[in-house]
Amino acid sequence: MGKHDRLKMPVKHLISFEKLLQKYDQQLKGDNPFLAATAERILAVEKGFPELRDGFSDFSLLEKNKDLIERILQDTFTEALSGNEIKVATLPFQNTIIKSSKRFQTIISEAGDNYEPELRNLGEEMDYIMSCVVILNYYYGYQLDFSRPYFYDIPDAAGVMRHYRILYNADFIDIIPTDKAKEITQEDVDELLANPTDATLWIEKIPPESFISKGFVIANLFDVTMEQAISNIKSKLISKDTLQPAKFMHDLQETFKSFFRLPNIKVGFASFDAKKDQFEEVAGMGFESFLLRGEHHMNCKNALCEDSYDKLIGSNSYYTIADIDLKVEQSGNMQPFKGLKEQGVQSAIFAPIAFENNLLGVLEIVSEKKGVLNGVNAQKLDDVMPFIVSAVVRTKNEENNRIDAIIQNECTSVHSSVYWKFQEEAKKFILDETEGRSPSFKEIVFKDVYPLFGQIDIKDSSQARNLAIQRDLMIQLSEIDNVLNIAFKKWELPIYEELIFRVSNHLESIKETLYTNSEQAIFDFVNDEITPVFEHLKKNDKDIEKHILKYESKIDMGTGSYYDHRKNYDESVTLINKKVSAIIDRRQESAQAMYPHYYERYKTDGVEHNMYIGSSISENKGYNSLYLNNLRLWQLQVMCEMENAHYSLKPKLPVPLDVASLILVYNTSLSIRFRMDEKQFDVDGTYNARYEVIKKRIDKSYIKGTNQRLTEKGVLSIVYSQKKDELEYLRYIKFLKSKGCFTDKIEIVELEGLQGVSGLKAIRAEILYKREQEPEKTYTYQDLMDALKE
């Protein structure tokens, strides 16, 4: 079982399929005959094998009951997706494999004979503590943040290390106490949290095997080799090890092998002196240079041919050689081709490292194999060149670039309003590093900020998408039916009649409603049964071939099926999102000028935005609640503007989709924390999580005592819970109504209680649409105050 078995964990694992089988028990009693039939088939498997529900710890039973387990997990591991999905039924944080997808099996077989994958080890004691945190959350009900990424590192067939991130689905597992389990008080939890690395204390409070985990988890694996390679390159380039050549060059070579997925490449570097027009070696860094061929420096005209000189030095663009032998022959044994061939190089990429249009040096990537490095995979370097540039600039004493690189490595992109805080932490990072302390990027938290949330959502998007799919499938099946009827009239073969009958059945099945599995079933039917028949007909009948070619001309290459109505739907969603996003992004600039605040926007089926404002976000500007009022008024205006933009766009859309807008008013301040693992801000703490719950569920809510949804086209819904918020927003709406944003139709409604949330109300204000967009004008809170004085 690998490293995890050396120390007994707080949880003893029982493999059980009870929670999965319970879902099939429910389906059997449900009113969907298709699901009931599937459930009946699967439940028949477990008859006479109670251990499948009761659970077993004898892992030899996995092999003994292999066929039964395969059949139970048949739906969980869909055959259609098995070749692409990297998926394993396993035990949490363990290497036991209960069942795996074909793609996972291929990855393991390519890794070598008898290869057993192992989780990237966090250390036994850390694994024990992490398991305890899971128990505290799932059994004792505490809200501790234990999200920690897990990885498999598995070599591919060529020996290049690939990295896979694991996401667990724990729907099919329960945690049950044994008689060894102890009572845990809040005082115990406080003590544990105060000693997060003291494994002895954690073992005392939650002893080994004091709990049983009964069930299994689904581990979904995602190939993050490229991201990991980019991250490693970034880390190496910003760490102090950059200045310690012994290990640096070897590590960088290995990282580039993963990055290019090529086992036989080498990396070199030559510095560039613009005044002397020469390449120079980088002293003491362990870099070799394939252009310099062992020389300390060389004039660029001697090192390069005219073409490579123009590309690298003249236009700072990549220069690639896919076949050195060919180049030697074509150039009459010129440099750099002659020297590269003598060094055993067969293909190469030379990438200019340039800052502000000034060449600083050349990154050299070479291979002993012909064609493996070329103009196509050279483009991959676009993702890492900025970090290589910043590292080179840093060695030329560019301190600010180093700060940027650290922030980039730790936090990806950072909004301008909070950048100052990240710079502060980056400076501390460098100071710790310089003074020999272990540097770490501290968590960034902004306390007492007020959130603003708004969304402009495409109404009934799933119905519109389904309708588009349904129409495309019906047209495709009708076209197939036409071709088959022509073939049947001509040849009168029973097979054509049988296919016509099945096409007719598929048409009938989707005429009224498109079921979840219908699209895949029809896709498989067309691929497996219709396409081969059409290929046969094309070869044997020129007349029918014309009809088939006409049918095939309408098949989309990307989706492999008709993509007419769906294309219209997708284009409409994209156009709406693009239009409304552009407005709020542009208007944000003026809002930031009023008072700096955090802003982020997401495109889903529509556009959502989050804003946070408070004194902790502004570096040195005094905060007043007036700024929150101002931003709220600004948000109302921009929502109306976005609605108007959609109103103008709707007649031009391929599918005239409607939208509905919503604002959530939250009058309590909260804290936001930058999550290093997710690279984004999130609300911090259990109480504050209520805000996130409301945000996620609010647009699905109904008006109390009715079947009417809160959100409605043509209406801006403003959700709140406090009377003072109601009065504040009624004041804003009255003011904006006088400016032509709203009609007189304004109502206040109560909302049905959401799960865990009650007492919400909403103002629903009808938007006044304008045929012609007026020039942008932002009314401020001061304008409102002035209007009230009149």
Side-chain angles (χ1 to χ4, degrees):
M1 291 299 122
K3 296 173 185 174
H4 294 273
D5 280 354
R6 290 201 294 262
L7 177 70
K8 276 193 175 178
M9 289 288 128
V11 172
K12 185 180 179 184
H13 295 288
L14 271 185
I15 298 174
S16 160
F17 302 95
E18 183 170 25
K19 286 195 86 172
L20 176 61
L21 292 168
Q22 282 172 357
K23 289 190 182 298
Y24 287 118
D25 291 338
Q26 290 165 11
Q27 284 182 17
L28 192 64
K29 297 170 192 163
D31 52 9
N32 185 320
F34 177 83
L35 293 178
T38 304
E40 189 175 3
R41 190 182 75 245
I42 284 165
L43 290 169
V45 172
E46 55 139 345
K47 295 283 190 292
F49 296 90
E51 67 268 30
L52 294 175
R53 281 193 193 249
D54 298 343
F56 55 91
S57 56
D58 178 3
F59 291 178
S60 67
L61 291 175
L62 283 175
E63 188 57 39
K64 188 181 169 189
N65 293 331
K66 187 179 177 185
D67 291 344
L68 299 176
I69 292 167
E70 287 275 331
R71 278 148 66 193
I72 286 172
L73 295 174
Q74 193 175 351
D75 276 12
T76 317
F77 285 72
T78 312
E79 185 63 23
L81 303 176
S82 187
N84 191 28
E85 284 188 342
I86 315 172
K87 190 167 160 184
V88 186
T90 180
L91 298 174
F93 318 128
Q94 298 282 304
N95 298 313
T96 310
I97 293 173
I98 298 167
K99 177 175 167 60
S100 57
S101 66
K102 285 178 185 169
R103 172 97 184 272
F104 181 82
Q105 290 161 20
T106 304
I107 289 166
I108 298 304
S109 67
E110 286 180 355
D113 290 341
N114 303 318
Y115 183 86
E116 287 191 20
E118 281 198 358
L119 288 167
R120 192 185 293 173
N121 200 15
L122 300 176
E124 283 185 359
E125 291 189 346
M126 201 62 223
D127 279 351
Y128 192 101
I129 290 166
M130 291 291 288
S131 296
C132 289
V133 173
V134 173
I135 290 166
L136 288 172
N137 280 10
Y138 281 95
Y139 181 73
Y140 291 104
Y142 292 98
Q143 298 288 320
L144 307 180
D145 184 1
F146 67 98
S147 54
R148 183 86 182 264
Y150 278 81
F151 296 86
Y152 276 126
D153 303 313
I154 305 171
D156 67 11
V160 174
M161 188 58 76
R162 306 288 283 271
H163 308 283
Y164 301 89
R165 182 167 181 173
I166 303 162
L167 291 180
Y168 285 113
N169 175 346
D171 286 355
F172 307 115
I173 199 159
D174 270 329
I175 291 177
I176 304 160
T178 68
D179 53 6
K180 293 180 188 173
K182 297 182 177 181
E183 186 181 334
I184 299 284
T185 64
Q186 184 63 53
E187 286 74 18
D188 291 328
V189 173
D190 293 343
E191 189 181 354
L192 289 169
L193 293 180
N195 298 279
T197 56
D198 183 353
T200 310
L201 178 67
W202 287 79
I203 288 168
E204 182 205 320
K205 301 287 185 192
I206 303 175
E209 299 193 347
S210 55
F211 284 81
I212 290 169
S213 82
K214 184 181 173 186
F216 67 99
V217 292
I218 301 287
N220 289 286
L221 276 65
F222 300 89
D223 189 337
V224 292
T225 304
M226 178 70 80
E227 291 82 352
Q228 185 90 32
I230 291 170
S231 176
N232 288 347
I233 289 168
K234 288 192 283 184
S235 298
K236 283 172 180 50
L237 291 173
I238 67 165
S239 75
K240 63 181 178 183
D241 292 337
T242 307
L243 306 173
Q244 299 171 359
K247 195 163 171 285
F248 173 76
M249 204 51 219
H250 172 266
D251 287 355
L252 198 64
Q253 304 260 28
E254 290 304 309
T255 303
F256 267 94
K257 285 176 184 178
S258 282
F259 182 64
F260 277 99
R261 300 178 183 177
L262 295 170
N264 58 350
I265 59 171
K266 291 180 183 172
V267 179
F269 182 79
S271 185
F272 174 67
D273 184 335
K275 289 174 188 164
K276 296 178 184 173
D277 194 28
Q278 69 179 23
F279 290 128
E280 299 171 351
E281 71 171 347
V282 182
M285 284 295 291
F287 287 103
E288 61 178 312
S289 169
F290 299 93
L291 288 174
L292 286 172
R293 307 188 296 279
E295 299 288 332
H296 295 301
H297 52 78
M298 188 182 290
N299 187 280
C300 296
K301 293 279 198 300
N302 298 332
L304 301 172
C305 65
E306 191 173 332
D307 186 25
S308 54
Y309 185 97
D310 287 345
K311 282 197 172 166
L312 289 169
I313 296 166
S315 60
N316 293 162
S317 57
Y318 299 144
Y319 185 71
T320 60
I321 309 164
D323 186 342
I324 292 283
D325 288 346
L326 182 65
K327 284 284 188 184
V328 167
E329 192 182 314
Q330 288 173 345
S331 68
N333 221 20
M334 279 178 64
Q335 298 294 4
F337 317 112
K338 178 177 180 285
L340 290 168
K341 184 175 180 179
E342 286 167 359
Q343 294 172 85
V345 173
Q346 282 296 314
S347 59
I349 298 168
F350 298 100
I353 298 169
F355 182 67
E356 296 179 346
N357 297 323
N358 295 317
L359 185 69
L360 305 173
V362 174
L363 176 72
E364 310 162 348
I365 299 157
V366 303
S367 171
E368 66 206 23
K369 286 198 170 182
K370 195 173 291 187
V372 298
L373 294 170
N374 51 63
V376 174
N377 60 8
Q379 303 307 314
K380 288 162 70 103
L381 285 170
D382 286 355
D383 293 327
V384 293
M385 287 310 290
F387 311 112
I388 294 170
V389 169
S390 71
V392 174
V393 169
R394 190 184 89 230
T395 61
K396 296 175 186 286
N397 301 318
E398 291 281 344
E399 180 72 356
N400 289 337
N401 271 38
R402 183 154 183 231
I403 290 167
D404 286 349
I406 289 167
I407 293 170
Q408 192 114 29
N409 181 57
E410 296 288 338
C411 317
T412 65
S413 58
V414 170
H415 190 253
S416 57
S417 63
V418 293
Y419 196 78
W420 63 272
K421 185 76 171 172
F422 288 83
Q423 281 181 310
E424 273 185 7
E425 290 303 331
K427 284 172 186 169
K428 288 177 192 168
F429 187 103
I430 288 169
L431 188 64
D432 285 349
E433 189 179 80
T434 310
E435 294 179 1
R437 294 190 292 272
S438 176
S440 66
F441 206 96
K442 305 290 186 300
E443 278 202 315
I444 287 173
V445 179
F446 292 103
K447 294 185 176 177
D448 289 326
V449 295
Y450 289 88
L452 293 94
F453 170 74
Q455 69 175 42
I456 180 160
D457 194 38
I458 293 169
K459 288 287 284 175
D460 305 322
S461 56
S462 50
Q463 287 98 309
R465 191 187 293 109
N466 279 349
L467 187 62
I469 294 168
Q470 186 182 10
R471 284 173 175 170
D472 279 340
L473 290 175
M474 289 185 80
I475 294 167
Q476 185 173 3
L477 289 168
S478 300
E479 295 274 346
I480 291 168
D481 188 61
N482 289 342
V483 175
L484 289 172
N485 271 297
I486 293 165
F488 182 61
K489 278 176 191 165
K490 192 159 189 178
W491 302 99
E492 292 193 353
L493 290 175
I495 185 68
Y496 298 141
E497 191 175 16
E498 194 264 346
L499 285 172
I500 290 165
F501 172 73
R502 287 169 69 193
V503 168
S504 172
N505 279 349
H506 278 302
L507 265 169
E508 196 59 38
S509 74
I510 61 168
K511 196 187 290 180
E512 299 300 326
T513 313
L514 182 75
Y515 293 105
T516 317
N517 61 321
S518 300
E519 186 184 3
Q520 188 62 49
I522 291 169
F523 182 79
D524 292 342
F525 167 64
V526 172
N527 265 6
D528 299 343
E529 312 211 27
I530 299 297
T531 305
V533 170
F534 278 13
E535 288 302 316
H536 165 76
L537 283 168
K538 276 198 294 187
K539 288 173 193 165
N540 292 289
D541 192 303
K542 289 291 173 197
D543 181 43
I544 292 175
E545 185 187 22
K546 289 177 202 165
H547 295 285
I548 294 172
L549 290 173
K550 184 185 165 192
Y551 156 77
E552 287 178 345
S553 69
K554 297 173 188 172
I555 297 289
D556 177 69
M557 294 298 287
T559 60
S561 54
Y562 268 43
Y563 186 59
D564 184 21
H565 291 88
R566 267 176 289 185
K567 186 180 179 189
N568 289 340
Y569 168 81
D570 290 342
E571 276 182 13
S572 301
V573 170
T574 304
L575 286 166
I576 291 169
N577 284 352
K578 199 171 172 184
K579 186 81 172 177
V580 299
S581 297
I583 287 170
I584 192 165
D585 285 351
R586 187 176 69 248
R587 303 284 265 116
Q588 248 295 301
E589 292 171 20
S590 63
Q592 290 293 343
M594 295 176 197
Y595 189 86
H597 59 279
Y598 183 78
Y599 162 75
E600 60 188 2
R601 168 185 60 68
Y602 304 101
K603 287 181 186 173
T604 51
D605 276 356
V607 174
E608 295 180 6
H609 65 268
N610 287 315
M611 295 183 289
Y612 300 100
I613 189 168
S615 57
S616 60
I617 285 178
S618 176
E619 186 177 10
N620 47 29
K621 192 172 179 181
Y623 176 74
N624 186 294
S625 60
L626 177 81
Y627 294 119
L628 172 62
N629 302 137
N630 211 44
L631 195 58
R632 285 176 166 183
L633 182 57
W634 173 89
Q635 185 188 31
L636 270 178
Q637 292 170 75
V638 172
M639 292 298 284
C640 289
E641 203 174 310
M642 288 157 78
E643 277 273 6
N644 268 285
H646 168 262
Y647 182 77
S648 304
L649 179 67
K650 186 179 167 183
K652 303 168 196 167
L653 293 172
V655 180
L657 297 167
D658 288 315
V659 298
S661 295
L662 176 142
I663 285 173
L664 173 61
V665 182
Y666 203 73
N667 69 349
T668 311
S669 67
L670 40 80
S671 296
I672 56 171
R673 179 186 299 270
F674 188 84
R675 305 268 179 214
M676 289 295 180
D677 53 349
E678 302 294 335
K679 307 289 189 200
Q680 66 182 39
F681 278 100
D682 201 355
V683 295
D684 189 38
T686 311
Y687 175 72
N688 293 332
R690 180 175 184 267
Y691 171 68
E692 289 293 341
V693 171
I694 297 172
K695 234 169 60 173
K696 284 186 174 69
R697 297 175 181 164
I698 195 68
D699 65 331
K700 303 287 188 294
S701 59
Y702 288 86
I703 295 170
K704 198 166 188 176
T706 73
N707 291 325
Q708 188 185 354
R709 285 278 282 269
L710 165 67
T711 54
E712 185 184 325
K713 73 168 183 173
V715 170
L716 176 56
S717 301
I718 301 153
V719 178
Y720 60 93
S721 60
Q722 303 291 326
K723 185 69 179 175
K724 74 183 185 72
D725 294 328
E726 179 184 297
L727 296 173
E728 181 182 341
Y729 271 85
L730 286 173
R731 208 164 70 229
Y732 297 157
I733 290 165
K734 185 178 178 185
F735 171 65
L736 291 176
K737 191 172 74 172
S738 72
K739 304 296 179 187
C741 295
F742 296 106
T743 70
D744 288 331
K745 193 175 174 188
I746 294 159
E747 62 174 343
I748 293 171
V749 296
E750 284 186 54
L751 304 189
E752 286 288 359
L754 301 165
Q755 190 181 342
V757 181
S758 58
L760 294 177
K761 296 175 81 175
I763 299 166
R764 299 171 89 231
E766 188 178 65
I767 295 156
L768 179 62
Y769 294 111
K770 301 158 195 148
R771 286 284 170 199
E772 293 299 320
Q773 283 289 81
E774 294 170 9
E776 285 175 7
K777 169 154 176 45
T778 304
Y779 295 103
T780 65
Y781 193 71
Q782 192 54 51
D783 294 328
L784 169 64
M785 292 293 104
D786 293 345
L788 292 174
K789 287 175 192 168
E790 289 172 8

